[in-house]
Amino acid sequence: MSAPSGWQRVCALDDIIEYSGVGALLDGVQVAVFRVAGAAYAIGNRDPASGANVLSRGIVGDLGGELVVASPIYKQHYSLVTGRCLEDAQLWVPVHLTRIADGAVWVKLQVQHRARPKQKLVVIGSGVAAMRTIEEVLARASHGFQITVFGAEMRGSYNRVLLSPLLAGEKKLEEIITHPPEWYRQQGIDLHEGDAVVAIDRVQRRVHSARGIEVPYDRLLIATGGLPVMLNVPGATLPGVLGFRDVADVDAMLVAARTHRRAVIIGGGLLGLEAGNGLARQGMDVTVVDVAEHVMNRQLDAHAAQLLRAELEGRGLKFVLPARTTAILGDERVTGVQLADGNVLAADLVVMAVGVKPNIELARAAGVRCDRGILVDDTLQTFDPAIYAVGECVQHRNATFGLVAPLLEQAQVCGQQLAGHGVARYPGSRLSTQLKISGVDVFSAGDYLGNERSEMLVLRDARRGIYKRLVVEDNRVRGAVLYGDTRDGRWYFDLINEQRDIRLLRDRLLFGEAECQSSP
């Protein structure tokens, strides 16, 4: 038969087993079609409790005289006739018209006029990953959610990337605030400042805060971030031993800088160098200690690291490399750092900047599946379909994250998924690194060391203090290290990500994008 206006053929009736269903995509709409006693029924395929398109796989039966399908995830029952949820009056699915003709099942999509209740989205954390996710949700489904945010700190939301300029005195606190409490009020978001979530009840779908507040959720976003790695050595808990993670740490360092003189930074990576530079700017005598032979050993080759060290030594920083810390000395407060070779560095302040680990204890206690981080798939969904996670707390494809770029990429995908625009996927990130010390230009991306199959393109300009190293393999850029001139860092990063063939640019590649585009 020819299709009547608005009707669409799904499949032959015999293709559907009695008391079971099939899924169909009609005009971009997910539909679940069921066969019961020779009749056909069609409802929306999306389970409103979990957000997953799974109702077509549910068990069909009679419950209290009403034909229903049971969600295969949370087991709520939805009427095949009215679409209502028998267990929760706030949940429902759309019902579409069906007919059987010429042995086939036909469906006509119905416009649903019933106002859909707002879903309750609870967000644990107010850092950059959480806020970027919320912004994505607001942009795509601003009226679809009632949002509640729990933040452990009292300042709204701020950009942790700018903690280093804050410590150095180059930024004021108000300049790094990204979402003040007024922003939350303007967006209609309930913000609980200084109130950390202490428990998640996944059965009742509720969170419990330190102040005794309980909030129900339909969707939960965990963005608890990371915790500073503190060395397990004697004296690590003495007053004057700090991490470098939040505004409170910066405040404590600034107080110490006003009353004490000597600081030891344990860790010669990005964070350690930025902390050391900031404390030196505050007038402290700073020594950096690391087990590696050169600074930023995970981002720079030896030559770039030596140039960076020389620049920082010119600014007053001292370095003891390689050196392993065995103890923090002191009674009532830290007085020194004991090294494995027996040397002791005098210290009134010790900053441990040896790494960040995912903050997963809350999720683990709730039974959310974790390894080193909270395990998520390419949609940033945990094994519990009502719970998503983003940021430094997650583990995706066996990787954990400490830089801001992948956090923003995760947040964009997660926000789209929460808003019901579930087409984007997070495949992982290629990373680039840029040091945040005023007047010091350092950039690193990709495989900066290479292997036996790699070729190295190197430019050294000692007079201008410029060093560039590009790792090339199969006529493609695999990695880059730039010192002194990082203007083309983003372009090299794009070449790495896109894996473009650079054979025609090869002899000009080190001179940057402008030279490559202007030359024939």
Side-chain angles (χ1 to χ4, degrees):
M1 63 171 284
S2 60
S5 177
W7 289 88
Q8 300 183 64
R9 186 182 187 278
V10 176
C11 64
L13 180 63
D14 289 342
D15 289 340
I16 308 176
I17 301 172
E18 277 284 353
Y19 285 90
S20 67
V22 298
L25 187 65
L26 305 178
D27 293 337
V29 177
Q30 285 268 357
V31 177
V33 182
F34 301 92
R35 177 182 176 181
V36 180
Y41 300 84
I43 62 174
N45 195 28
R46 182 179 183 274
D47 173 10
S50 69
N53 292 310
V54 295
L55 292 185
S56 61
R57 304 203 304 266
I59 298 174
V60 178
D62 184 300
L63 195 61
E66 189 165 6
L67 281 176
V68 297
V69 60
S71 167
I73 297 181
Y74 287 116
K75 312 308 179 187
Q76 288 101 335
H77 297 86
Y78 296 92
S79 170
L80 299 185
V81 177
T82 66
R84 75 183 186 94
C85 176
L86 275 60
E87 291 80 13
D88 187 342
Q90 296 299 309
L91 300 179
W92 63 283
V93 293
V95 177
H96 304 292
L97 297 179
T98 61
R99 63 187 296 180
I100 299 173
D102 296 337
V105 178
W106 297 73
V107 172
K108 184 176 184 179
L109 299 179
Q110 291 288 91
V111 177
Q112 302 296 315
H113 298 288
R114 176 177 174 179
R116 183 175 179 177
K118 285 189 174 183
Q119 288 191 306
K120 300 178 181 68
L121 172 62
V122 173
V123 180
I124 303 175
S126 57
V128 61
M131 300 316 300
R132 183 66 187 89
T133 304
I134 291 173
E135 289 174 344
E136 191 73 26
V137 170
L138 292 175
R140 295 176 177 271
S142 60
H143 302 295
F145 288 92
Q146 176 185 332
I147 302 176
T148 302
V149 175
F150 286 88
E153 298 183 68
M154 288 295 297
R155 298 172 174 84
S157 302
Y158 61 87
N159 187 351
R160 292 185 193 276
V161 173
L162 297 178
L163 287 177
S164 297
L166 181 67
L167 176 61
E170 298 163 358
K171 294 280 186 183
K172 297 180 180 179
L173 179 58
E174 55 268 24
E175 292 180 289
I176 74 170
I177 300 293
T178 58
H179 301 79
E182 295 78 23
W183 180 87
Y184 289 87
R185 288 193 290 270
Q186 292 169 0
Q187 301 297 329
I189 297 173
D190 294 328
L191 171 64
H192 298 276
E193 289 185 283
D195 191 12
V197 170
V198 296
I200 300 169
D201 184 339
R202 292 176 43 236
V203 176
Q204 298 296 323
R205 290 197 184 179
R206 304 180 74 85
V207 299
H208 303 259
S209 79
R211 294 178 183 168
I213 297 174
E214 296 185 14
V215 178
Y217 67 83
D218 298 304
R219 292 288 180 279
L220 177 65
L221 176 63
I222 302 176
T224 46
L227 297 172
V229 175
M230 305 299 284
L231 294 181
N232 185 22
V233 296
T237 59
L238 281 169
V241 180
L242 301 172
F244 185 19
R245 189 64 194 155
D246 53 31
V247 168
D249 291 330
V250 173
D251 288 343
M253 288 187 221
L254 292 174
V255 169
R258 289 194 289 269
T259 56
H260 296 84
R261 185 172 62 86
R262 299 163 301 186
V264 171
I265 311 297
I266 302 177
L270 271 174
L271 205 57
L273 297 184
E274 290 173 4
N277 175 74
L279 290 172
R281 292 284 298 270
Q282 296 297 334
M284 297 197 79
D285 182 3
V286 177
T287 301
V288 178
V289 177
D290 196 285
V291 295
E293 294 189 355
H294 62 74
V295 298
M296 289 184 64
N297 67 303
R298 294 185 178 181
Q299 292 88 21
L300 302 181
D301 63 8
H303 187 79
Q306 182 56 42
L307 291 172
L308 175 59
R309 174 173 174 169
E311 170 65 30
L312 295 177
E313 286 175 335
R315 298 182 177 211
L317 273 69
K318 303 181 184 70
F319 293 87
V320 180
L321 306 174
R324 182 169 61 87
T325 300
T326 57
I328 309 297
L329 306 179
D331 294 321
E332 296 182 357
R333 182 183 174 88
V334 60
T335 59
V337 174
Q338 174 81 55
L339 302 181
D341 62 5
N343 286 327
V344 174
L345 302 176
D348 308 304
L349 172 68
V350 173
V351 179
M352 290 196 187
V354 295
V356 176
K357 61 182 179 180
N359 183 2
I360 62 174
E361 292 311 310
L362 177 66
R364 191 192 297 278
V368 178
R369 193 168 297 160
C370 300
D371 183 21
R372 290 175 294 125
I374 301 171
L375 296 174
V376 295
D377 62 16
D378 288 359
T379 68
L380 284 305
Q381 190 178 55
T382 70
F383 90 106
D384 183 331
I387 300 178
Y388 289 75
V390 292
E392 291 173 314
C393 63
V394 310
Q395 180 178 337
H396 172 263
R397 298 191 186 183
N398 204 39
T400 56
F401 307 89
L403 299 176
V404 68
L407 274 56
L408 297 177
E409 293 169 2
Q410 293 170 14
Q412 183 177 23
V413 172
C414 186
Q416 292 179 22
Q417 293 289 334
L418 288 170
H421 297 259
V423 294
R425 294 293 186 271
Y426 176 67
S429 298
R430 293 181 183 269
L431 303 180
S432 65
T433 302
Q434 195 142 7
L435 192 66
K436 293 174 289 298
I437 294 179
S438 178
V440 181
D441 296 321
V442 180
F443 175 88
S444 174
D447 179 8
Y448 66 95
L449 291 177
N451 55 53
E452 64 276 4
R453 298 180 59 241
S454 304
E455 301 174 77
M456 309 301 165
L457 305 183
V458 178
L459 181 151
R460 290 187 177 93
D461 187 336
R463 185 178 62 83
R464 297 168 59 201
I466 293 175
Y467 171 74
K468 297 182 181 182
R469 171 191 172 105
L470 302 179
V471 180
V472 176
E473 187 177 317
D474 298 329
N475 289 308
R476 285 162 177 79
V477 180
R478 305 296 189 188
V481 172
L482 309 178
Y483 181 88
D485 180 2
T486 60
R487 290 173 297 177
D488 289 301
R490 175 54 53 183
W491 182 60
Y492 291 132
F493 189 51
D494 289 342
L495 291 179
I496 295 170
N497 285 334
E498 296 168 9
Q499 286 298 282
R500 285 159 51 187
D501 191 317
I502 53 88
R503 72 185 70 202
L504 298 180
L505 307 175
R506 186 184 184 87
D507 58 346
R508 306 184 301 278
L509 199 59
L510 284 167
F511 300 101
E513 182 180 17
E515 176 66 22
C516 290
Q517 289 182 344
S518 62
S519 300

